[in-house]
């Protein structure tokens, strides 16, 4: 079960886990990180991801990525890289599956709107919301709130974008949910995450860049010809077109995108092996204390990835069709917050009881938790119920 021979010394070894905040007996059939993965998959927050926006709101098409399918794709890439590097696949998968649990409905547009209305009440941050879900908001177990995951999985979720405490950034500048939790269960915010969490973070970039290219082409926001000057991406589309003359566009897109993903994965593996050889870590502690990530793109691939991101930002995320959709989404979130904050008696139980018993700041957080947990569909339905006189 423990796969001692399969894991490198610098991997996060499950038999050396720092444990859970609430002590539990170990499972005879699953490692601690397998249990974390399973708890995430069975959580309510994970199921809700199926109707949460990745880029396109759910009603715009059945085949576009959602937060759920994106998370599954990130997990698949993470497992592949972890296996090759002899890291703990289960921990990598758990972090990958959990990394977007805190997202609001309507993706980043929804988060921007919720952060705006929450600005007087310490703001809103989806990574901090993920921690709140994992440690507080999921209410499934008799003996504790949250999922009671291992220290390592929580660390990976919180440090998704690297160390939170860096030169020039004080603890007081971090989201309150993270600061409050770390008072009792220190996640060592000034260090890097373990290698599995670093793999999950880079797999996130690989997945969304490539799958946004796929979705953007299928949505008609740009054409294949627009991609041909992009490094790597253009090369792969040209290669497939040359190898398979007359190939239809659906197959062309899939064949090119899968080659780009493979090239990025191979680059991460090669660069990470180079950095591991240079750093010579003897344990996961050495990786956490290392001055920079050990899991990374090569310099050339990092530049390529930035170029692809710039293209997607300009041609997709800022496309007028998406801007219209995002504008409507922001108005829905703001309307919901303002009404429910002013009239908490409109909240369903038990949210109503929590909000009515709370002070101003705490009530704002209850309303934010309620809205952040909504799917796109539920948010639109709730907006209709609250604002349409005939609903």
């Amino acid at each position: 079960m423990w796969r001692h021979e399969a894991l490198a010394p610098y991997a996060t070894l499950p038999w050396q886990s720092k444990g859970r905040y609430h002590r539990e007996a170990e499972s005879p059939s699953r490692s601690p990180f397998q249990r974390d993965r399973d708890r995430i998959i069975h959580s309510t927050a994970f199921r809700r991801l199926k109707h949460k926006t990745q880029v396109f709101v759910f009603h715009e098409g059945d085949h576009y990525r959602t937060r759920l399918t994106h998370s599954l794709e990130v997990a698949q890439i993470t497992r592949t890289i972890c296996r090759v590097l002899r890291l703990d696949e289960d921990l990598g998968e758990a972090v990958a599956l959990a990394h977007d649990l805190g997202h609001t409905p309507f993706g980043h547009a929804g988060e921007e709107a919720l952060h705006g209305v929450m600005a007087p009440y310490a703001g809103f941050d989806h990574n901090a919301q993920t921690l709140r879900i994992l440690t507080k908001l999921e209410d499934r177990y008799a003996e504790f709130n949250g999922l009671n995951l291992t220290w390592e999985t929580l660390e990976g979720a919180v440090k998704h974008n690297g160390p939170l405490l860096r030169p020039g950034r004080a603890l007081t500048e971090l989201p309150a949910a993270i600061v409050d939790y770390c008072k009792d269960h220190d996640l060592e915010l000034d260090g890097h995450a373990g290698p599995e969490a670093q793999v999950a973070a880079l797999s996130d970039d690989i997945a969304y860049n490539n799958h946004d290219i796929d979705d953007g082409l299928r949505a008609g926001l740009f054409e294949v010809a627009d991609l041909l000057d992009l490094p790597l991406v253009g090369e792969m589309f040209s290669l497939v077109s040359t190898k398979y003359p007359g190939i239809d566009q659906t197959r062309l897109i899939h064949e090119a995108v899968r080659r780009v993903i493979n090239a990025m994965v191979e680059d991460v593996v090669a660069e990470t092996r180079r950095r591991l050889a240079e750093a010579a870590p003897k344990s996961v502690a050495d990786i956490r204390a290392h001055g920079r990530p050990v899991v990374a793109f090569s310099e050339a691939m990092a530049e390529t990835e930035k170029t692809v991101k710039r293209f997607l930002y300009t041609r997709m995320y800022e496309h007028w069709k998406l801007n219209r959709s995002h504008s409507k989404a922001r108005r829905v979130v703001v309307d919901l917050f303002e009404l429910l904050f002013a009239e908490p008696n409109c909240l369903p139980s038990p949210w109503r009881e929590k909000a009515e018993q709370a002070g101003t700041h705490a009530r704002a957080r209850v309303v934010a938790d309620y809205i952040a947990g909504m799917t796109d569909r539920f948010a639109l339905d709730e907006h209709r119920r609250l604002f349409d006189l005939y609903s």
Side-chain angles (χ1 to χ4, degrees):
M1 178 185 74
W2 297 104
R3 299 179 296 124
H4 283 66
E5 73 287 348
L7 297 177
Y10 49 78
T12 307
L13 306 176
W15 55 91
Q16 293 180 1
S17 170
K18 296 184 181 183
R20 306 175 190 277
Y21 183 77
H22 301 279
R23 292 177 64 86
E24 295 184 61
E26 292 296 340
S27 167
S29 57
R30 294 174 294 162
S31 79
F33 304 145
Q34 286 177 301
R35 292 181 79 189
D36 284 359
R37 186 260 331 270
D38 296 347
R39 289 180 179 192
I40 291 162
I41 288 174
H42 288 278
S43 69
T44 305
F46 186 73
R47 291 197 298 277
R48 286 197 295 255
L49 294 180
K50 69 179 179 179
H51 288 304
K52 286 198 174 191
T53 294
Q54 179 65 21
V55 174
F56 297 95
V57 177
F58 82 96
H59 62 259
E60 295 184 33
D62 290 339
H63 295 159
Y64 298 125
R65 268 77 183 185
T66 64
R67 286 284 166 195
L68 179 62
T69 59
H70 166 70
S71 296
L72 294 172
E73 290 166 343
V74 175
Q76 180 269 317
I77 295 170
T78 298
R79 287 196 74 103
T80 297
I81 297 173
C82 283
R83 184 175 299 148
V84 173
L85 295 173
R86 297 175 59 211
L87 303 174
D88 191 285
E89 295 174 43
D90 301 313
L91 174 58
E93 184 179 23
V95 174
L97 293 174
H99 84 281
D100 270 354
L101 291 180
H103 268 289
T104 64
F106 313 121
H108 289 288
E111 178 173 4
E112 290 166 9
L114 195 52
H115 178 65
V117 292
M118 283 292 291
Y121 315 106
F124 180 89
D125 174 86
H126 75 264
N127 284 328
Q129 191 69 12
T130 294
L131 183 65
R132 283 178 63 76
I133 289 167
L134 296 177
T135 61
K136 189 180 182 73
L137 298 179
E138 279 287 324
D139 54 358
R140 305 173 60 81
Y141 296 93
E143 297 184 358
F144 47 77
N145 291 326
L147 301 181
N148 198 33
L149 304 182
T150 61
W151 185 96
E152 291 79 7
T153 299
L154 294 177
E155 178 213 28
V158 166
K159 299 179 186 175
H160 186 64
N161 297 316
L164 275 70
L165 290 177
R166 299 183 292 271
R169 191 180 193 191
L171 183 66
T172 53
E173 297 177 57
L174 300 181
I178 295 175
V179 175
D180 291 344
Y181 183 79
C182 288
K183 288 176 183 175
D184 296 324
H185 198 204
D186 185 10
L187 297 176
E188 300 174 9
L189 302 178
D190 57 344
H192 286 277
E196 293 84 359
Q198 292 184 31
V199 169
L202 225 54
S203 298
D204 184 26
D205 290 341
I206 294 172
Y208 78 68
N209 280 332
N210 284 283
H211 297 142
D212 285 356
I213 287 173
D214 186 353
D215 283 351
L217 286 168
R218 293 176 189 276
L221 302 184
F222 46 83
E223 304 294 332
V224 169
D226 299 322
L227 302 171
L228 297 182
D229 291 334
L230 286 178
L232 183 61
V233 176
E235 295 162 26
M236 293 305 178
F237 273 92
S238 296
L239 183 154
V240 174
S241 297
T242 301
K243 187 174 182 178
Y244 304 103
I247 189 173
D248 68 81
Q249 179 151 308
T250 299
R251 294 176 191 268
L252 169 63
I253 294 169
H254 175 71
E255 288 288 340
V257 167
R258 75 185 185 96
R259 284 167 168 78
V260 177
I261 293 173
N262 189 62
M264 287 184 156
V265 167
E266 290 182 354
D267 180 87
V268 169
V269 169
E271 176 63 15
T272 301
R273 282 176 168 161
R274 187 189 71 77
R275 292 190 180 204
L276 286 168
E278 184 181 86
K282 299 293 190 295
S283 68
V284 67
D286 292 340
I287 288 180
R288 288 195 177 98
H290 196 55
R292 64 172 184 162
V294 295
V295 180
F297 289 124
S298 66
E299 192 174 324
M301 186 61 80
E303 203 50 50
T304 292
E305 197 256 350
K306 288 178 186 174
T307 303
V308 172
K309 274 183 178 171
R310 284 195 294 269
F311 172 87
L312 288 169
Y313 182 83
T314 312
R315 299 298 301 273
M316 186 173 183
Y317 310 141
E318 286 295 307
H319 194 282
W320 66 269
K321 290 182 180 178
L322 285 181
N323 282 339
R324 286 186 173 189
S325 177
H326 294 164
S327 177
K328 288 187 286 186
R330 283 191 288 268
R331 289 198 299 277
V332 167
V333 170
V334 171
D335 285 348
L336 287 173
F337 180 87
E338 290 179 346
L339 186 146
L340 294 171
F341 179 69
E343 303 178 47
N345 59 347
C346 290
L347 285 163
S349 296
W351 296 97
R352 173 179 176 171
E353 289 77 12
K354 292 179 185 176
E356 289 183 334
Q357 294 166 11
T360 302
H361 277 69
R363 183 167 79 247
R365 187 59 59 186
V366 170
V367 174
D369 286 340
Y370 178 63
I371 294 173
M374 294 179 180
T375 62
D376 297 2
R377 180 169 58 187
F378 185 85
L380 292 170
D381 287 345
E382 188 77 332
H383 189 271
R384 193 176 303 113
R385 285 189 287 265
L386 288 168
F387 289 91
D388 186 342
L389 290 175
Y390 302 100
S391 290

